[in-house]
Amino acid sequence: MPEPRFLLLSDVATELNVSDSQVYHMVRSGELPAIKIGGRGQWRVERSQLEKYIQERYAETAAWVRDNPLADREAE
């Protein structure tokens, strides 16, 4: 069975191993693209957007690691 195209915020929280409220904040701040659907305006995150978000975080982390190297142990 294929994975669902759209995820509940709780599913995203599980995928990222963070709290539901953290995902809600990411969505409301625009950090993680999402849509509101239905009469009650329930949030959904498209799986492709979540994967894109994860890849962007990997790139940001790689840049941070590159710009903030560990101190050289040989200098000790």
Side-chain angles (χ1 to χ4, degrees), residues 2-3 6 11 22 25 28-29 32 35 37-38 40 42-43 54 59 61-62 64 69-73 75-76:
E3 294 179 328
F6 291 96
D11 295 333
Q22 214 170 345
H25 177 74
R28 290 288 288 137
S29 70
L32 177 61
I35 59 172
I37 60 169
R40 294 175 43 209
Q42 297 178 347
W43 289 102
I54 291 168
T61 302
W64 184 88
L70 288 173
D72 187 3
R73 290 193 177 263
E76 293 179 5

Side-chain angles (χ1 to χ4, degrees), residues 36-74:
K36 285 180 81 169
I37 60 169
R40 294 175 43 209
Q42 297 178 347
W43 289 102
R44 295 293 185 270
V45 176
E46 191 168 7
R47 182 167 292 282
S48 63
Q49 290 295 327
L50 176 59
E51 293 302 326
K52 181 180 174 187
Y53 174 81
I54 291 168
Q55 291 306 312
E56 289 169 351
R57 298 299 76 76
Y58 271 116
E60 282 181 8
T61 302
W64 184 88
V65 168
R66 184 183 59 248
D67 295 342
N68 296 279
L70 288 173
D72 187 3
R73 290 193 177 263
E74 292 179 20

